[in-house]
Amino acid sequence: MKNIIALKTLREHWEKSGRDDSEEPLKAWYQEAKQAKWKNPNEVKQQYRSASIVGDNRVVFNICGNKYRLVVKINYEAQWVFIRFVGTHKEYDKIDVTTI
């Protein structure tokens, strides 16, 4: 993907107390996504079988063995990824994944 917006969101997550275990997995996801050239949701699922396609070009990734959730919105044509949310399952349960 040409651009991932915004790494700052990931960094703010792993810098929170008790979440430092997510730093390396989030950095790894970021690097993999940066190299990806996904053209559609099926190509995301081929690379990340546990990812959930939730509509409106949003994808939910499991981080740290499903301890955290990462929600992104992908513009496949422009090759941009917009990070919309990263947090615990409890935090994830409080959002509307289709509109965040």
XYZ file of all heavy atoms in Angstrom:
841
model
N 0.853 -1.163 0.000
C 0.000 0.000 0.000
C 0.902 1.230 0.000
O 1.892 1.268 0.724
C -0.907 -0.005 1.223
C -1.735 -1.299 1.405
S -2.639 -1.878 -0.017
C -4.071 -0.888 -0.023
N 0.549 2.203 -0.797
C 1.374 3.405 -0.918
C 1.494 4.177 0.386
O 2.534 4.722 0.700
C 0.785 4.340 -1.971
C 0.951 3.894 -3.380
C 0.359 4.948 -4.285
C 0.305 4.464 -5.710
N -0.384 5.420 -6.571
N 0.402 4.242 1.121
C 0.396 5.064 2.319
C -0.476 4.424 3.383
O -1.550 3.918 3.081
C -0.130 6.463 1.977
C 0.372 7.523 2.926
O 0.996 7.213 3.930
N 0.095 8.766 2.601
N -0.018 4.485 4.615
C -0.792 4.007 5.751
C -0.931 5.180 6.706
O 0.064 5.729 7.186
C -0.120 2.809 6.438
C 0.036 1.660 5.439
C -0.925 2.383 7.653
C 0.754 0.446 5.974
N -2.160 5.546 6.989
C -2.447 6.690 7.840
C -3.156 6.177 9.081
O -4.205 5.579 8.959
C -3.337 7.697 7.092
C -2.678 7.978 5.786
C -3.650 8.886 7.963
C -2.953 9.182 5.057
N -2.709 6.272 10.235
C -1.524 6.973 10.673
C -0.783 6.069 11.652
O -1.381 5.521 12.568
C -1.887 8.292 11.364
N 0.501 5.951 11.439
C 1.354 5.164 12.333
C 1.235 5.675 13.761
O 1.325 4.912 14.720
C 2.802 5.209 11.854
C 3.830 4.471 12.706
C 3.492 2.995 12.808
C 5.229 4.656 12.148
N 0.986 6.957 13.912
C 0.846 7.565 15.239
C -0.222 6.855 16.071
O -0.056 6.664 17.273
C 0.498 9.048 15.085
C 0.281 9.764 16.387
C -0.121 11.210 16.153
C -0.441 11.873 17.482
N -1.008 13.199 17.304
N -1.305 6.440 15.440
C -2.383 5.738 16.144
C -1.863 4.432 16.734
O -2.182 4.088 17.873
C -3.557 5.465 15.188
O -3.970 6.701 14.612
C -4.721 4.811 15.907
N -1.063 3.706 15.962
C -0.487 2.453 16.458
C 0.471 2.731 17.611
O 0.437 2.058 18.640
C 0.237 1.712 15.337
C -0.589 1.308 14.121
C 0.276 0.570 13.119
C -1.796 0.487 14.529
N 1.323 3.729 17.431
C 2.311 4.080 18.460
C 1.618 4.482 19.769
O 2.022 4.051 20.849
C 3.211 5.213 17.973
C 4.351 5.521 18.930
C 5.287 6.622 18.451
N 5.747 6.424 17.083
C 5.379 7.171 16.030
N 4.529 8.178 16.186
N 5.862 6.915 14.835
N 0.583 5.270 19.678
C -0.147 5.687 20.882
C -0.729 4.481 21.603
O -0.786 4.454 22.827
C -1.247 6.678 20.520
C -0.714 8.043 20.149
C -1.780 8.989 19.618
O -2.922 8.540 19.336
O -1.462 10.179 19.480
N -1.143 3.482 20.843
C -1.684 2.267 21.460
C -0.596 1.529 22.240
O -0.771 1.220 23.415
C -2.294 1.339 20.407
C -2.698 0.017 20.971
N -3.856 -0.152 21.667
C -2.071 -1.174 20.984
C -3.937 -1.404 22.078
N -2.856 -2.042 21.663
N 0.540 1.237 21.606
C 1.544 0.420 22.290
C 2.260 1.188 23.397
O 2.889 0.576 24.255
C 2.509 -0.257 21.334
C 3.557 0.578 20.651
C 4.540 1.311 21.255
C 3.770 0.730 19.254
N 5.335 1.912 20.303
C 4.879 1.572 19.065
C 3.137 0.224 18.129
C 5.367 1.923 17.813
C 3.611 0.574 16.888
C 4.715 1.415 16.728
N 2.148 2.513 23.398
C 2.762 3.293 24.467
C 1.882 3.392 25.704
O 2.341 3.830 26.760
C 3.111 4.702 23.965
C 4.303 4.686 23.011
C 4.651 6.053 22.447
O 3.835 7.001 22.586
O 5.742 6.166 21.852
N 0.625 2.945 25.624
C -0.254 2.937 26.786
C 0.225 1.869 27.760
O 0.721 0.811 27.358
C -1.700 2.637 26.385
C -2.371 3.781 25.672
C -3.804 3.423 25.325
C -4.454 4.528 24.544
N -5.810 4.150 24.107
N 0.046 2.144 29.017
C 0.462 1.218 30.069
C -0.165 -0.163 29.854
O -1.371 -0.279 29.614
C 0.030 1.781 31.423
O 0.361 0.887 32.449
N 0.681 -1.193 29.916
C 0.203 -2.565 29.796
C -0.001 -3.057 28.377
O -0.439 -4.182 28.181
N 0.311 -2.242 27.383
C 0.076 -2.643 25.998
C 1.358 -2.749 25.192
O 1.315 -2.873 23.974
C -0.880 -1.668 25.320
C -2.231 -1.672 26.008
C -3.208 -0.817 25.318
N -4.443 -0.775 26.101
C -5.577 -0.338 25.658
N -5.686 0.103 24.428
N -6.647 -0.329 26.425
N 2.490 -2.711 25.863
C 3.765 -2.768 25.151
C 3.953 -4.090 24.406
O 4.754 -4.172 23.485
C 4.936 -2.485 26.088
C 5.004 -3.440 27.260
O 3.952 -3.941 27.705
O 6.129 -3.680 27.736
N 3.175 -5.117 24.781
C 3.264 -6.399 24.071
C 2.763 -6.296 22.632
O 3.036 -7.159 21.810
C 2.496 -7.498 24.816
C 1.019 -7.197 25.005
O 0.624 -6.006 24.977
O 0.248 -8.157 25.203
N 2.057 -5.227 22.318
C 1.531 -5.071 20.965
C 2.490 -4.340 20.025
O 2.256 -4.310 18.813
C 0.194 -4.317 21.000
O 0.375 -2.981 21.437
N 3.583 -3.787 20.546
C 4.478 -2.987 19.710
C 5.038 -3.785 18.533
O 4.912 -3.375 17.376
C 5.622 -2.397 20.523
C 6.557 -1.535 19.684
C 7.638 -0.830 20.482
O 7.704 -0.988 21.719
O 8.435 -0.114 19.848
N 5.669 -4.900 18.800
C 6.289 -5.673 17.713
C 5.255 -6.225 16.728
O 5.456 -6.121 15.518
C 7.190 -6.777 18.269
C 8.455 -6.241 18.945
C 9.255 -5.286 18.062
O 9.471 -5.593 16.873
O 9.651 -4.212 18.551
N 4.140 -6.811 17.209
C 3.140 -7.281 16.239
C 2.551 -6.155 15.379
O 2.316 -6.348 14.189
C 2.059 -7.921 17.116
C 2.784 -8.335 18.351
C 3.822 -7.269 18.567
N 2.333 -4.974 15.968
C 1.803 -3.858 15.182
C 2.833 -3.336 14.184
O 2.491 -3.014 13.044
C 1.322 -2.728 16.097
C 0.014 -3.008 16.828
C -0.252 -1.949 17.897
C -1.159 -3.097 15.862
N 4.090 -3.299 14.592
C 5.147 -2.887 13.660
C 5.257 -3.893 12.518
O 5.433 -3.507 11.354
C 6.486 -2.756 14.378
C 6.616 -1.504 15.209
C 7.987 -1.452 15.877
C 8.194 -0.169 16.644
N 9.521 -0.147 17.327
N 5.134 -5.174 12.832
C 5.200 -6.210 11.794
C 4.017 -6.072 10.837
O 4.196 -6.136 9.606
C 5.213 -7.598 12.431
N 2.806 -5.868 11.378
C 1.640 -5.677 10.513
C 1.852 -4.464 9.612
O 1.579 -4.516 8.408
C 0.364 -5.485 11.346
C -0.796 -5.152 10.468
C -1.625 -6.030 9.840
C -1.197 -3.844 10.034
N -2.522 -5.345 9.042
C -2.280 -4.002 9.158
C -0.753 -2.556 10.301
C -2.914 -2.926 8.553
C -1.384 -1.481 9.707
C -2.460 -1.670 8.847
N 2.350 -3.375 10.178
C 2.579 -2.141 9.421
C 3.520 -2.390 8.239
O 3.239 -1.980 7.111
C 3.144 -1.071 10.349
C 3.369 0.267 9.688
C 2.337 1.190 9.608
C 4.608 0.607 9.151
C 2.536 2.424 8.996
C 4.806 1.830 8.542
C 3.773 2.736 8.464
O 3.967 3.948 7.854
N 4.631 -3.083 8.496
C 5.597 -3.353 7.425
C 5.001 -4.266 6.349
O 5.225 -4.060 5.154
C 6.888 -3.951 7.996
C 7.698 -2.967 8.807
C 8.054 -1.715 8.005
O 8.431 -1.776 6.849
N 7.929 -0.556 8.637
N 4.238 -5.267 6.777
C 3.606 -6.169 5.809
C 2.571 -5.424 4.970
O 2.497 -5.617 3.745
C 2.953 -7.348 6.533
C 3.968 -8.293 7.140
C 3.351 -9.288 8.102
O 2.105 -9.344 8.224
O 4.116 -10.012 8.765
N 1.781 -4.580 5.618
C 0.760 -3.816 4.895
C 1.410 -2.825 3.935
O 0.915 -2.602 2.836
C -0.161 -3.093 5.878
N 2.522 -2.245 4.345
C 3.237 -1.281 3.498
C 3.706 -1.955 2.195
O 3.706 -1.329 1.136
C 4.433 -0.757 4.296
C 5.035 0.499 3.809
C 4.219 1.695 4.225
C 5.060 2.929 4.012
N 4.337 4.009 3.443
N 4.086 -3.226 2.269
C 4.566 -3.964 1.106
C 3.425 -4.552 0.260
O 3.635 -4.917 -0.892
C 5.494 -5.099 1.547
C 6.728 -4.641 2.295
C 7.589 -3.708 1.470
O 7.816 -3.941 0.298
N 8.055 -2.628 2.094
N 2.238 -4.644 0.856
C 1.105 -5.283 0.173
C 0.605 -4.437 -0.991
O 0.752 -3.213 -0.994
C -0.022 -5.523 1.173
N 0.003 -5.118 -1.931
C -0.624 -4.447 -3.068
C -2.037 -5.028 -3.245
O -2.426 -5.459 -4.324
C 0.208 -4.632 -4.329
C 1.559 -3.952 -4.245
C 2.289 -3.995 -5.557
C 3.667 -3.389 -5.558
N 4.121 -2.633 -4.474
N -2.785 -5.048 -2.141
C -4.124 -5.619 -2.154
C -5.015 -4.883 -3.143
O -5.075 -3.667 -3.165
C -4.755 -5.546 -0.774
C -3.996 -6.254 0.299
C -3.450 -7.497 0.241
C -3.699 -5.766 1.613
N -2.844 -7.811 1.433
C -2.982 -6.766 2.295
C -3.981 -4.578 2.283
C -2.537 -6.621 3.602
C -3.543 -4.436 3.593
C -2.833 -5.450 4.244
N -5.728 -5.650 -3.951
C -6.644 -5.074 -4.931
C -8.095 -5.223 -4.506
O -8.975 -4.587 -5.079
C -6.427 -5.727 -6.289
C -5.069 -5.405 -6.870
C -4.873 -6.067 -8.206
C -3.451 -5.807 -8.682
N -2.899 -6.909 -9.407
N -8.341 -6.092 -3.511
C -9.709 -6.327 -3.046
C -9.646 -7.067 -1.704
O -8.583 -7.544 -1.303
C -10.498 -7.117 -4.095
C -9.825 -8.430 -4.450
O -9.560 -9.263 -3.583
N -9.529 -8.618 -5.730
N -10.779 -7.178 -1.030
C -10.798 -7.858 0.273
C -10.331 -9.314 0.219
O -9.731 -9.812 1.171
C -12.263 -7.768 0.703
C -12.812 -6.601 -0.043
C -12.074 -6.571 -1.351
N -10.587 -9.995 -0.894
C -10.151 -11.392 -1.005
C -8.638 -11.520 -0.899
O -8.131 -12.482 -0.320
C -10.637 -12.009 -2.319
C -12.123 -12.208 -2.331
O -12.759 -12.336 -1.290
N -12.701 -12.218 -3.516
N -7.907 -10.553 -1.441
C -6.448 -10.595 -1.359
C -5.964 -10.343 0.076
O -4.957 -10.905 0.488
C -5.834 -9.594 -2.337
C -6.034 -10.028 -3.774
C -5.331 -9.142 -4.779
O -4.650 -8.167 -4.393
O -5.464 -9.437 -5.986
N -6.703 -9.527 0.826
C -6.368 -9.340 2.243
C -6.556 -10.670 2.977
O -5.699 -11.098 3.751
C -7.242 -8.241 2.893
C -6.947 -8.127 4.381
C -7.026 -6.906 2.196
N -7.687 -11.336 2.717
C -7.980 -12.623 3.372
C -6.966 -13.697 2.994
O -6.675 -14.576 3.806
C -9.391 -13.101 3.003
C -10.500 -12.363 3.701
C -10.568 -12.653 5.170
C -11.172 -13.997 5.463
N -11.261 -14.270 6.908
N -6.427 -13.643 1.793
C -5.406 -14.615 1.410
C -4.160 -14.453 2.267
O -3.521 -15.437 2.634
C -5.048 -14.467 -0.065
C -6.101 -14.989 -0.997
C -5.774 -14.720 -2.461
O -4.785 -14.082 -2.795
N -6.631 -15.209 -3.347
N -3.820 -13.224 2.601
C -2.627 -12.966 3.407
C -2.909 -13.115 4.901
O -2.065 -13.591 5.641
C -2.078 -11.560 3.129
C -0.773 -11.286 3.845
C -0.113 -10.004 3.383
O -0.566 -9.338 2.448
N 0.974 -9.643 4.033
N -4.089 -12.713 5.326
C -4.478 -12.760 6.742
C -5.790 -13.521 6.861
O -6.863 -12.924 6.841
C -4.648 -11.348 7.311
C -3.385 -10.554 7.396
C -3.032 -9.658 6.401
C -2.527 -10.689 8.494
C -1.863 -8.916 6.475
C -1.363 -9.950 8.576
C -1.041 -9.072 7.570
O 0.115 -8.338 7.652
N -5.693 -14.819 7.009
C -6.895 -15.656 7.038
C -7.830 -15.327 8.197
O -9.034 -15.519 8.102
C -6.517 -17.124 7.059
C -5.796 -17.542 5.796
C -5.744 -19.047 5.633
N -4.913 -19.425 4.513
C -5.313 -19.424 3.255
N -6.515 -19.033 2.948
N -4.490 -19.791 2.288
N -7.282 -14.835 9.309
C -8.130 -14.530 10.461
C -8.736 -13.126 10.399
O -9.529 -12.757 11.260
C -7.337 -14.681 11.763
O -6.304 -13.714 11.825
N -8.391 -12.356 9.375
C -8.965 -11.010 9.230
C -10.452 -11.128 8.922
O -10.906 -12.078 8.293
C -8.256 -10.241 8.124
N -11.203 -10.131 9.391
C -12.644 -10.099 9.125
C -12.952 -8.917 8.213
O -12.577 -7.783 8.513
C -13.423 -9.937 10.431
O -13.177 -11.020 11.290
N -13.652 -9.199 7.134
C -14.102 -8.155 6.223
C -15.478 -7.731 6.731
O -16.389 -8.544 6.807
C -14.198 -8.680 4.771
C -12.899 -9.387 4.352
C -14.591 -7.573 3.829
C -11.644 -8.550 4.419
N -15.616 -6.442 7.101
C -16.846 -6.023 7.782
C -17.675 -5.015 7.008
O -18.633 -4.474 7.531
C -16.532 -5.487 9.200
C -16.033 -6.597 10.095
C -15.545 -4.339 9.158
N -17.344 -4.739 5.781
C -18.130 -3.828 4.966
C -17.518 -2.446 4.881
O -16.689 -2.065 5.704
N -17.943 -1.693 3.885
C -17.439 -0.350 3.620
C -15.916 -0.332 3.581
O -15.273 0.575 4.114
C -17.976 0.662 4.631
C -17.745 2.108 4.178
O -17.690 2.351 2.951
O -17.590 2.984 5.045
N -15.338 -1.376 2.978
C -13.883 -1.514 2.824
C -13.132 -1.523 4.154
O -11.963 -1.169 4.215
C -13.318 -0.445 1.885
C -13.766 -0.662 0.464
O -13.877 -1.794 0.005
N -14.050 0.404 -0.244
N -13.804 -1.936 5.211
C -13.164 -2.038 6.517
C -12.757 -3.487 6.776
O -13.474 -4.418 6.432
C -14.085 -1.542 7.623
C -14.196 -0.030 7.639
C -15.188 0.432 8.688
N -15.119 1.857 8.912
C -15.638 2.770 8.102
N -16.242 2.403 7.006
N -15.541 4.052 8.390
N -11.591 -3.624 7.424
C -11.055 -4.941 7.751
C -10.626 -4.908 9.208
O -10.041 -3.929 9.679
C -9.842 -5.292 6.853
C -9.307 -6.676 7.192
C -10.205 -5.194 5.379
N -10.919 -5.998 9.922
C -10.507 -6.140 11.319
C -9.418 -7.194 11.374
O -9.601 -8.323 10.903
C -11.692 -6.552 12.223
C -11.231 -6.701 13.665
C -12.838 -5.558 12.102
N -8.268 -6.810 11.941
C -7.141 -7.721 12.110
C -7.003 -8.076 13.590
O -7.196 -7.224 14.458
C -5.833 -7.057 11.649
C -5.790 -6.758 10.184
C -6.198 -5.520 9.705
C -5.345 -7.709 9.276
C -6.162 -5.226 8.348
C -5.306 -7.425 7.916
C -5.713 -6.182 7.457
N -6.662 -9.327 13.845
C -6.365 -9.779 15.207
C -4.881 -9.562 15.473
O -4.043 -9.973 14.684
C -6.722 -11.255 15.373
C -8.188 -11.505 15.119
O -9.040 -10.747 15.560
N -8.486 -12.564 14.404
N -4.573 -8.920 16.586
C -3.200 -8.603 16.954
C -2.878 -9.280 18.285
O -3.726 -9.321 19.177
C -3.012 -7.064 17.087
C -3.440 -6.338 15.804
C -1.587 -6.711 17.488
C -2.617 -6.637 14.570
N -1.667 -9.778 18.418
C -1.214 -10.451 19.661
C -2.095 -11.647 19.992
O -2.618 -11.758 21.108
C -1.190 -9.490 20.843
S 0.218 -8.411 20.897
N -2.273 -12.519 19.020
C -3.075 -13.709 19.280
C -4.510 -13.377 19.637
O -5.121 -14.032 20.469
N -5.039 -12.314 19.033
C -6.419 -11.873 19.212
C -6.647 -11.121 20.526
O -7.769 -10.942 20.948
C -7.389 -13.046 19.079
C -8.734 -12.619 18.537
O -8.876 -11.536 17.999
N -9.711 -13.469 18.689
N -5.582 -10.671 21.169
C -5.707 -9.868 22.389
C -6.197 -8.463 22.059
O -6.924 -7.844 22.835
C -4.350 -9.798 23.106
C -4.392 -9.072 24.427
C -3.043 -9.141 25.120
C -3.064 -8.410 26.448
N -1.753 -8.472 27.110
N -5.787 -7.971 20.891
C -6.174 -6.635 20.437
C -6.816 -6.726 19.063
O -6.609 -7.692 18.339
C -4.945 -5.715 20.351
C -4.178 -5.618 21.636
C -2.944 -6.236 21.770
C -4.679 -4.914 22.716
C -2.232 -6.162 22.955
C -3.975 -4.831 23.915
C -2.753 -5.454 24.024
O -2.055 -5.378 25.200
N -7.569 -5.687 18.722
C -8.193 -5.597 17.414
C -7.717 -4.329 16.719
O -7.609 -3.269 17.336
C -9.714 -5.532 17.541
C -10.350 -6.799 18.085
C -10.500 -7.799 16.957
N -11.006 -9.078 17.370
C -12.279 -9.446 17.285
N -13.185 -8.610 16.848
N -12.636 -10.645 17.651
N -7.440 -4.451 15.436
C -7.026 -3.343 14.589
C -8.046 -3.215 13.465
O -8.285 -4.183 12.742
C -5.633 -3.611 14.017
C -5.127 -2.678 12.928
C -4.966 -1.250 13.455
C -3.802 -3.186 12.369
N -8.664 -2.043 13.350
C -9.651 -1.796 12.307
C -9.064 -0.790 11.329
O -8.594 0.277 11.743
C -10.971 -1.245 12.889
C -11.983 -0.990 11.771
C -11.544 -2.189 13.936
N -9.085 -1.143 10.059
C -8.600 -0.235 9.016
C -9.662 -0.101 7.931
O -10.513 -0.967 7.768
C -7.268 -0.717 8.393
C -6.205 -0.891 9.460
C -7.446 -1.986 7.596
N -9.576 1.001 7.213
C -10.391 1.195 6.019
C -9.413 1.282 4.859
O -8.423 2.013 4.934
C -11.225 2.469 6.115
C -12.152 2.643 4.932
C -13.125 3.782 5.134
C -14.049 3.855 3.923
N -15.120 4.819 4.130
N -9.676 0.521 3.815
C -8.739 0.431 2.694
C -9.360 1.045 1.441
O -10.497 0.729 1.080
C -8.349 -1.034 2.420
C -7.718 -1.661 3.674
C -7.408 -1.120 1.222
C -7.418 -3.140 3.556
N -8.583 1.897 0.797
C -8.931 2.392 -0.532
C -8.051 1.585 -1.491
O -6.871 1.879 -1.651
C -8.659 3.892 -0.650
C -9.030 4.437 -2.013
O -8.848 3.781 -3.036
N -9.554 5.649 -2.027
N -8.623 0.551 -2.061
C -7.854 -0.374 -2.898
C -7.328 0.301 -4.159
O -6.210 0.038 -4.583
C -8.697 -1.600 -3.255
C -9.071 -2.426 -2.046
C -10.314 -2.288 -1.442
C -8.164 -3.319 -1.492
C -10.650 -3.033 -0.326
C -8.491 -4.070 -0.371
C -9.737 -3.918 0.204
O -10.064 -4.658 1.315
N -8.131 1.160 -4.755
C -7.720 1.822 -5.990
C -6.523 2.748 -5.762
O -5.557 2.729 -6.524
C -8.892 2.614 -6.575
C -8.606 3.195 -7.936
C -9.828 3.870 -8.529
O -10.945 3.327 -8.398
O -9.655 4.947 -9.130
N -6.572 3.554 -4.704
C -5.488 4.493 -4.407
C -4.341 3.830 -3.642
O -3.278 4.424 -3.499
C -6.018 5.677 -3.607
N -4.586 2.600 -3.143
C -3.579 1.869 -2.363
C -3.239 2.596 -1.060
O -2.083 2.753 -0.693
C -2.319 1.610 -3.196
C -2.530 0.616 -4.327
C -2.683 -0.797 -3.816
O -1.729 -1.400 -3.349
N -3.889 -1.329 -3.861
N -4.283 3.037 -0.363
C -4.130 3.698 0.934
C -4.843 2.871 1.993
O -5.893 2.293 1.741
C -4.760 5.084 0.910
C -3.961 6.106 0.180
C -3.372 5.994 -1.044
C -3.673 7.424 0.625
N -2.741 7.162 -1.385
C -2.914 8.060 -0.375
C -3.985 8.146 1.766
C -2.459 9.368 -0.251
C -3.536 9.439 1.872
C -2.774 10.034 0.875
N -4.257 2.856 3.201
C -4.877 2.223 4.362
C -5.048 3.296 5.430
O -4.101 3.999 5.765
C -3.998 1.071 4.918
C -4.586 0.520 6.203
C -3.833 -0.027 3.891
N -6.245 3.414 5.953
C -6.542 4.362 7.014
C -6.790 3.583 8.302
O -7.747 2.815 8.374
C -7.777 5.189 6.670
C -7.634 5.979 5.407
C -8.017 5.442 4.187
C -7.106 7.258 5.429
C -7.887 6.162 3.011
C -6.970 7.990 4.254
C -7.361 7.438 3.045
N -5.943 3.764 9.288
C -6.125 3.102 10.572
C -7.245 3.820 11.298
O -7.169 5.016 11.566
C -4.822 3.104 11.392
C -3.746 2.303 10.641
C -5.067 2.556 12.791
C -2.357 2.441 11.196
N -8.299 3.084 11.616
C -9.475 3.682 12.237
C -9.541 3.415 13.737
O -10.113 4.194 14.480
C -10.753 3.144 11.566
C -10.792 3.293 10.060
C -10.698 4.725 9.586
N -11.807 5.485 10.124
C -11.768 6.785 10.410
N -10.682 7.476 10.199
N -12.822 7.392 10.905
N -8.965 2.272 14.186
C -9.081 1.901 15.598
C -8.064 0.823 15.911
O -7.818 -0.063 15.103
C -10.495 1.349 15.879
C -10.647 0.702 17.224
C -10.962 1.461 18.334
C -10.473 -0.659 17.372
C -11.089 0.865 19.572
C -10.600 -1.262 18.600
C -10.906 -0.503 19.710
N -7.502 0.880 17.111
C -6.735 -0.232 17.669
C -6.997 -0.229 19.169
O -6.953 0.811 19.823
C -5.228 -0.164 17.336
C -4.579 1.082 17.873
C -4.490 -1.397 17.803
N -7.346 -1.398 19.691
C -7.651 -1.485 21.117
C -7.941 -2.905 21.543
O -7.828 -3.852 20.755
N -8.338 -3.033 22.787
C -8.667 -4.338 23.363
C -10.034 -4.795 22.848
O -10.783 -4.006 22.253
C -8.725 -4.257 24.897
O -9.813 -3.389 25.262
C -7.423 -3.740 25.486
N -10.379 -6.050 23.134
C -11.697 -6.549 22.761
C -12.792 -5.747 23.455
O -13.822 -5.439 22.849
C -11.837 -8.029 23.125
C -11.338 -8.944 22.063
N -12.124 -9.356 21.027
C -10.137 -9.509 21.871
C -11.420 -10.152 20.240
N -10.210 -10.258 20.734
N -12.576 -5.416 24.714
C -13.571 -4.642 25.476
C -13.803 -3.283 24.813
O -14.951 -2.847 24.658
C -13.100 -4.463 26.924
C -14.114 -3.848 27.829
C -13.596 -3.803 29.258
C -14.634 -3.197 30.181
N -14.180 -3.149 31.571
N -12.731 -2.633 24.394
C -12.857 -1.347 23.700
C -13.513 -1.536 22.337
O -14.353 -0.732 21.923
C -11.487 -0.693 23.546
C -10.875 -0.269 24.868
C -9.395 0.046 24.791
O -8.710 -0.439 23.865
O -8.924 0.776 25.671
N -13.141 -2.595 21.651
C -13.697 -2.903 20.335
C -15.210 -3.111 20.412
O -15.952 -2.671 19.543
C -13.009 -4.145 19.775
C -13.580 -4.663 18.475
C -13.196 -4.106 17.258
C -14.490 -5.722 18.468
C -13.711 -4.584 16.066
C -15.009 -6.200 17.282
C -14.613 -5.636 16.085
O -15.120 -6.108 14.901
N -15.663 -3.770 21.478
C -17.078 -4.032 21.648
C -17.903 -2.761 21.786
O -19.125 -2.789 21.603
C -17.313 -4.947 22.847
C -16.845 -6.366 22.598
O -16.653 -6.748 21.418
O -16.653 -7.107 23.593
N -17.278 -1.650 22.104
C -17.978 -0.372 22.307
C -18.090 0.465 21.034
O -18.732 1.508 21.047
C -17.274 0.453 23.386
C -17.332 -0.180 24.751
C -16.579 0.666 25.771
C -16.589 -0.012 27.124
N -15.811 0.749 28.103
N -17.455 0.025 19.951
C -17.498 0.821 18.729
C -18.400 0.176 17.694
O -18.730 -1.007 17.783
C -16.066 0.983 18.120
C -15.513 -0.360 17.647
C -15.140 1.675 19.103
C -14.293 -0.259 16.753
N -18.796 0.964 16.718
C -19.504 0.446 15.546
C -18.462 0.315 14.448
O -18.040 1.316 13.858
C -20.619 1.378 15.125
C -21.392 0.866 13.905
O -20.965 -0.131 13.281
O -22.416 1.480 13.574
N -18.003 -0.879 14.217
C -16.906 -1.126 13.299
C -17.219 -0.680 11.870
O -16.314 -0.359 11.111
C -16.471 -2.603 13.357
C -17.506 -3.505 12.725
C -15.120 -2.806 12.729
N -18.471 -0.590 11.525
C -18.835 -0.214 10.156
C -18.840 1.293 9.927
O -18.908 1.744 8.784
C -20.217 -0.764 9.765
O -21.210 -0.208 10.633
C -20.238 -2.281 9.852
N -18.731 2.069 11.008
C -18.752 3.532 10.842
C -17.546 4.234 11.441
O -17.353 5.422 11.192
C -20.022 4.144 11.459
O -20.053 3.857 12.864
C -21.276 3.615 10.787
N -16.769 3.540 12.245
C -15.631 4.199 12.889
C -14.600 4.654 11.869
O -14.414 4.048 10.853
C -14.972 3.313 13.964
C -14.076 4.156 14.830
C -14.257 2.142 13.370
C -13.649 3.544 16.118
